[in-house]
Amino acid sequence: MEPLTVPGTLDSLTIIGQYVNAAAAAAGLDKKIAYRLRLAVDEIATNIIVHGYEEAGRAGDVLVRAALDQATLTITLEDTAIPYDPRNRLRPEHIDRPIEDRPIGGLGVYLTTESVDRFEYEYVGNRNRNIIIMNRPKGAGSPATG
Amino acid sequence: MKIVQEVIDVAGGKVYDIAPEGRLDAVTVPALETALQDQLGGGHVQIVLDLSGVTYLSSSGLRAMLHARRQAQAGGGDVLLSGMTPRVREIFEMIGFNSLFHVFDHVADAAAAFAKSAAA
């Protein structure tokens, strides 16, 4: 699939969601897994837009890329906000606290990591890169469907 | 987002049923927050949030529920949930919210729970 570039505003969540749904369908993910993937991407994109751009008084784009191989679907989100690793929200002192007392931003990141098979982050070329990986069902990567 | 609201008379007071429809994400949650604040700000602290029409829920929606619940409880009331679809329920369980909120199958059951606690 062609990568998608959208402005870093909340209005873009819908089009990002549609892109992810199309990628999930191409990967042969079942509806439940596709829903989880969309949730994870939604959470990360919301964090980028709200915290990375809007609250920081910055403007920028979000680049979304879907990559398929035999075994996995990888969704990558890139932005030009200040370097920020969402996994920092998952430190034990956050997770061990009662749900009500956890830092507000942590809920979304927690949902993301719980929803997907793998979540990674890197900072490359002045860009945050959030990487979300879902395993494809066995057989979905065959030439007939992939 | 469409939000249907209804006032239900129960023994010992009134219950305010708020039923958002569609996706509850960062884009649509402000409308729900406004509806919740309209009631809570007016001292209406017995709230049923009917989720039967909610097709998608992200952490923005969860946070709105958490805030409303705190506020309602501070005023001696509560926010009870009803009509959760399996996908919304899954998210609740994932994050442990199912142990935090009382969840009922139908609005009437949640309203009855308020009546029962008023009688107790």
Side-chain angles (χ1 to χ4, degrees):
Chain A
M1 286 171 71
E2 288 293 313
L4 171 76
T5 301
V6 291
T9 59
L10 285 175
D11 292 347
S12 297
L13 288 180
T14 305
I15 189 165
I16 293 173
Q18 287 163 352
Y19 180 85
V20 171
N21 283 352
L29 302 187
D30 79 33
K31 282 189 176 163
K32 186 174 168 179
I33 304 298
Y35 184 88
R36 287 179 167 211
L37 174 66
R38 175 155 186 191
L39 176 70
V41 173
D42 200 59
E43 296 292 349
I44 294 299
T46 301
N47 274 352
I48 292 169
I49 292 163
V50 174
H51 302 299
Y53 289 139
E54 290 183 355
E55 287 177 2
R58 295 167 79 114
D61 291 335
V62 180
L63 172 77
V64 190
R65 189 183 290 123
L68 272 180
D69 66 21
Q70 289 282 325
T72 60
L73 166 63
T74 301
I75 303 283
T76 308
L77 292 103
E78 288 187 13
D79 64 81
T80 54
I82 55 167
Y84 178 70
D85 184 347
R87 295 173 302 180
N88 292 341
R89 295 279 194 178
L90 297 171
R91 290 191 300 256
E93 67 264 31
H94 291 174
I95 295 302
D96 291 345
R97 287 159 68 175
I99 301 159
E100 289 182 274
D101 298 337
R102 281 184 208 159
I104 284 294
L107 267 183
V109 181
Y110 182 74
L111 265 185
T112 300
T113 54
E114 288 293 298
S115 297
V116 303
D117 288 308
R118 221 159 84 212
F119 175 69
E120 291 171 7
Y121 167 87
E122 53 197 31
Y123 191 72
V124 185
N126 295 323
R127 297 171 77 85
N128 291 294
R129 186 182 285 165
N130 290 277
I131 304 160
I132 290 165
I133 300 168
M134 281 300 207
N135 295 332
R136 302 176 70 183
K138 294 225 171 357
S142 64
T145 56
Chain B
M1 118 175 298
K2 189 180 167 194
I3 301 177
V4 179
Q5 299 199 56
E6 193 188 352
V7 184
I8 304 166
D9 286 305
V10 297
K14 291 183 189 302
V15 171
Y16 296 82
D17 170 30
I18 300 176
E21 291 177 9
R23 296 171 51 79
L24 268 184
D25 61 14
V27 178
T28 58
V29 155
L32 174 64
E33 285 174 329
T34 301
L36 286 164
Q37 280 315 313
D38 283 349
Q39 298 305 345
L40 291 165
H44 304 150
V45 292
Q46 297 198 128
I47 307 257
V48 177
L49 193 55
D50 177 5
L51 298 175
S52 58
V54 173
T55 54
Y56 175 92
L57 175 67
S58 76
S59 64
S60 310
L62 294 168
R63 278 195 289 276
M65 291 179 203
L66 206 53
H67 286 151
R69 176 178 173 271
R70 273 184 203 158
Q71 221 175 322
Q73 289 184 341
D78 206 349
V79 175
L80 306 182
L81 306 179
S82 81
M84 231 180 241
T85 60
R87 287 207 173 126
V88 169
R89 186 179 291 272
E90 186 195 18
I91 292 167
F92 258 70
E93 287 171 359
M94 213 185 269
I95 210 153
F97 266 34
N98 52 324
S99 60
L100 210 58
F101 282 89
H102 293 288
V103 183
F104 297 85
D105 287 342
H106 304 287
V107 172
D109 301 332
F114 276 123
K116 204 172 160 188
S117 68

